[in-house]
Amino acid sequence: MISILVGYIVAWIAVRAFKVPHGRRGLMMTAINGANTVFIGMPLNVALFGEVSVPYLLTYYIVNTVIIWTLGVWVIAGDDPTIDREGGNKAKFDWHHLIPAPLWGFIVALPFIYIPGLENGLMKLTFATTALSDIGALVTPLSLIYIGIMLRRFGILNMRFDGNVIWTLLGRFAISPIIMAIIVFCGFHIGIHMNSVFQQTLIIQAATPSLAVLPILANTYHGDVKFATNIVVSTSVLFIIVVPIIMVLQNL
């Protein structure tokens, strides 16, 4: 949470310093700090670190989701170029977005993990656990299919790299994971210890592609839809190059 909030502060300074036009400022700030944790982050993390990393990924996912649908939406809505800025911010929240389907699954699973007796009782229902396990195994392949559909729909050849896009890419792929690494490093030196898989998961997730719903939010709040789409496509393609670099740096 500290890492993402610091990232928003850095992004706010950047959009002011580089005089990013209204309609892009909020999108740029949220693109730098909002990750596509489920559809891309999940299969990526499982491929890199195995199933043991899923609980750590869900920790990042919950914080990331809550911040996106509160602070992120507020920032994008406040940058709506059609609103009267002197009349106040007209940002509106859809609280239903705070608990999407993956988060509901996490909440429902918690009692079976922490309440004595429930887990043993559930494991006896082999028909249910087998079915749920098979459904859960579909997450990674379906995510990869979704990524392919998304890239085909947006069009890889439509990527354009102007100054705003380049700074957003640097923020997402460099500044965001660096901030996370610094926070983890500082925590280690004040006595907050976590295992290596947790550390690597947090840093990798801080560099995953920007959230896929960015163009929808841009359209809802009259932002630059082409810019938002370009960011989603660019980060989804270029992360293939970025992730191996981060893994090499982490293993030095």
Side-chain angles (χ1 to χ4, degrees):
M1 184 177 292
I2 293 172
S3 173
I4 296 174
L5 294 178
V6 170
Y8 264 100
I9 294 172
V10 173
W12 179 81
I13 294 172
V15 298
R16 295 280 181 170
F18 299 117
K19 298 180 180 179
V20 178
H22 287 292
R24 285 189 174 190
R25 292 183 178 185
L27 295 171
M28 186 172 173
M29 292 169 63
T30 301
I32 290 173
N33 297 285
N36 191 340
T37 312
V38 172
F39 290 112
I40 294 181
M42 176 78 78
L44 172 66
N45 231 68
V46 172
L48 292 176
F49 310 119
E51 294 289 340
V52 69
S53 68
V54 172
Y56 306 134
L57 178 138
L58 288 176
T59 301
Y60 186 91
Y61 165 75
I62 292 170
V63 175
N64 186 68
T65 299
V66 170
I67 292 179
I68 286 173
W69 292 108
T70 51
L71 178 61
V73 171
W74 178 78
V75 167
I76 294 173
D79 188 46
D80 188 335
T82 65
I83 67 173
D84 178 9
R85 303 196 178 282
E86 295 184 0
N89 194 333
K90 297 182 180 180
K92 295 180 179 180
F93 299 121
D94 185 348
W95 296 103
H96 294 89
H97 286 137
L98 285 175
I99 310 183
L103 195 51
W104 271 118
F106 180 81
I107 293 172
V108 171
L110 286 178
F112 294 96
I113 296 173
Y114 291 108
I115 297 179
L118 283 182
E119 181 181 2
N120 293 331
L122 178 65
M123 295 306 294
K124 293 178 181 179
L125 303 175
T126 54
F127 69 93
T129 55
T130 301
L132 291 174
S133 297
D134 290 342
I135 292 173
L138 292 174
V139 171
T140 298
L142 288 178
S143 296
L144 296 174
I145 292 172
Y146 169 81
I147 295 167
I149 293 172
M150 182 186 69
L151 294 178
R152 175 63 182 85
R153 185 180 65 185
F154 289 157
I156 296 177
L157 297 179
N158 293 328
M159 290 189 297
R160 298 291 182 271
F161 297 100
D162 60 21
N164 294 156
V165 172
I166 291 173
W167 281 113
T168 304
L169 293 175
L170 287 174
R172 185 70 207 138
F173 289 142
I175 297 174
S176 181
I178 287 173
I179 292 173
M180 178 65 78
I182 292 172
I183 296 295
V184 171
F185 181 78
C186 292
F188 177 79
H189 280 273
I190 63 174
I192 301 175
H193 299 286
M194 59 179 71
N195 64 47
S196 60
V197 175
F198 198 177
Q199 295 176 24
Q200 292 180 309
T201 293
L202 292 177
I203 295 171
I204 285 292
Q205 291 306 312
T208 48
S210 300
L211 61 158
V213 297
L214 198 65
I216 298 174
L217 293 174
N219 183 67
T220 301
Y221 297 107
H222 311 101
D224 190 333
V225 178
K226 289 185 177 180
F227 172 75
T229 303
N230 199 13
I231 290 299
V232 172
V233 175
S234 300
T235 54
S236 298
V237 172
L238 296 178
F239 94 104
I240 299 172
I241 301 172
V242 173
V243 168
I245 296 173
I246 294 177
M247 289 297 294
V248 170
L249 293 174
Q250 287 191 114
N251 293 325
L252 289 178

